[in-house]
Amino acid sequence: MQTCLATAAVLMSVASASAEISNGTVKIGVLTDMSGPYADNVGAGSVLAAKMAVEDFGGKAAGVPVEVISADHQNKADIGLALARKWYDTEGVDTITEVVSSGVALAVQQLSREKDKAFLATGPGTPDLTGKACSPVGVHWAYDNYALANVATAPLVQKGLKSWYFLTADYSFGQALEAEASKVILANGGTVLGSSKHPLNSSDFSSYLLQAQASKAQVIGLANAGADMMTALKQANEFGITSGGQRIAALLVNLPDIHALGLNSAKGLIFADSFYWDANDKTREWSKRFMARFGGKAPGSLQAAVYGAVTHYLKAVDATKSDAGSVVVAEMKKMPINDFYTTNATIREDGRVIRDMYLLQVKQPSESKYPWDYYKILSTVPGDKAFRPLKDGNCPLVSAAK
């Protein structure tokens, strides 16, 4: 009799725990670029990071199993939105994470708001996610274009590199990155001489580079990322632009980019990022576990960010016993963030994770002592100095009094 009562109590407890969890499973969708220009920076590595977070959490949250699925949005808003809608409507997905493309991210954040699903944006750069398009179910995790431009551009202008010309990816991410960098340049007494817009996944930057060269700007700013950034940088070196005296500033750099370029091509680059695998004992410990399962490849910041975002989400699901986006994200905002990737961070009212950013420089080949030993940390910039002030974002969630 006692055994029967104990069994009944366990079953009631499980039923109660899962009462607020739809379908009895917490399902996480990693919507990412698996085959395009950003695949090395996110892609399969982001999926692995999400799975590692679930495993390290014990495979369950709120007493129910946690599942990870993934899909390729191909950096197209219509495809990404269709996948997200299918996941939410028919496949029981509770939260979507990663979504490296800004255009896809803006569309998916709006859909997530309509469906009351938590949206964990780790890869996109547009600050609109916590600005005019902010959402009570949206969290922007790793970095944004404001922080990248603010942390990396200002030091260069302050060193006397005053005149700039941009090569810009012609979609929302690149346009926003150029705009934010331009604001920083002008605020520090510099000038912007012009820009050339190029389509996503370009293979030939010769005409754009010639325009930049002709501008005689001291700095050519690359407001692009992934394969586009690497191709532009390689071709700039081939054309002798850097040897002619102009500097190249890549505004968004990920560790896999540097690996693909090689230190001879990337040496000396100064840029901002939110994570470096070899920064300290905690980052190295997690990164070596990742590398052991990912063919020896070290994680970039966007892959590490997925782990952090998923872990924090699962903590909130466990605490609330709910998978409703508004409930879970409200709990996420209450809890401090502490893990190998982020220390003593918070989620602001507008959904922006306020965390330290780093000013980094690519090492000279002679300075690199072992595989993936690529960066020097020049400085650490506190989150309240790196990211856009809350009052300047025009987020409708923020009280007018602030």
Side-chain angles (χ1 to χ4, degrees), residues 89-106:
D89 290 348
T90 67
E91 297 191 25
V93 168
D94 298 299
T95 184
I96 291 175
T97 189
E98 209 292 286
V99 196
V100 67
S101 167
S102 291
V104 180
L106 289 166

Side-chain angles (χ1 to χ4, degrees), residues 2 35 37 69 95 117 177 181 225 285 302 339:
Q2 289 181 336
S35 57
I69 64 172
T95 184
K117 304 285 189 177
L177 187 53
E285 187 277 329
L302 303 186
D339 56 32

Side-chain angles (χ1 to χ4, degrees), residues 130-210:
T130 56
K132 61 184 181 182
C134 70
S135 164
V137 299
V139 180
H140 201 176
W141 204 266
Y143 58 66
D144 61 29
N145 293 342
Y146 180 100
L148 292 175
N150 187 35
V151 173
T153 307
L156 295 177
V157 181
Q158 291 163 5
K159 286 182 177 179
L161 298 171
K162 300 283 190 180
S163 61
W164 289 62
Y165 187 97
F166 287 99
L167 267 59
T168 303
D170 195 12
Y171 73 108
S172 55
F173 158 74
Q175 294 159 7
L177 187 53
E178 178 189 331
E180 296 297 342
S182 296
K183 290 176 188 176
V184 174
I185 292 164
L186 296 174
N188 284 275
T191 58
V192 178
L193 302 181
S195 69
S196 296
K197 305 293 193 295
H198 68 82
L200 180 66
N201 216 10
S202 295
S203 60
D204 184 1
F205 283 82
S206 57
S207 62
Y208 312 119
L209 288 166
L210 289 172

Side-chain angles (χ1 to χ4, degrees), residues 12-191:
M12 289 177 65
S13 175
V14 171
S16 175
S18 62
E20 300 299 324
I21 304 296
S22 55
N23 303 316
T25 302
V26 176
K27 187 176 283 192
I28 299 167
V30 182
L31 189 59
T32 186
D33 179 358
M34 298 293 289
S35 57
Y38 310 131
D40 287 344
N41 296 330
V42 285
S46 291
V47 178
L48 172 59
K51 290 180 177 178
M52 289 176 65
V54 171
E55 292 166 7
D56 290 350
F57 203 76
K60 289 186 176 183
V64 302
V66 182
E67 180 183 349
V68 175
I69 64 172
S70 61
D72 185 354
H73 57 48
Q74 301 176 47
N75 298 298
K76 296 179 180 178
D78 56 343
I79 292 175
L81 188 59
L83 286 166
R85 191 178 299 279
K86 179 183 177 185
W87 276 357
Y88 287 154
D89 290 348
T90 67
E91 297 191 25
V93 168
D94 298 299
T95 184
I96 291 175
T97 189
E98 209 292 286
V99 196
V100 67
S101 167
S102 291
V104 180
L106 289 166
V108 172
Q109 177 155 288
Q110 178 57 36
L111 177 66
S112 300
R113 184 172 189 164
E114 295 167 8
K115 302 291 185 180
D116 194 23
K117 304 285 189 177
F119 177 54
L120 313 176
T122 55
T126 177
D128 284 349
L129 288 166
T130 56
K132 61 184 181 182
C134 70
S135 164
V137 299
V139 180
H140 201 176
W141 204 266
Y143 58 66
D144 61 29
N145 293 342
Y146 180 100
L148 292 175
N150 187 35
V151 173
T153 307
L156 295 177
V157 181
Q158 291 163 5
K159 286 182 177 179
L161 298 171
K162 300 283 190 180
S163 61
W164 289 62
Y165 187 97
F166 287 99
L167 267 59
T168 303
D170 195 12
Y171 73 108
S172 55
F173 158 74
Q175 294 159 7
L177 187 53
E178 178 189 331
E180 296 297 342
S182 296
K183 290 176 188 176
V184 174
I185 292 164
L186 296 174
N188 284 275
T191 58

Side-chain angles (χ1 to χ4, degrees), residues 354-365:
I354 302 301
R355 62 174 323 283
D356 291 346
M357 291 286 292
Y358 306 103
L359 184 65
L360 303 165
Q361 185 172 32
V362 178
K363 291 182 174 183
Q364 299 289 325

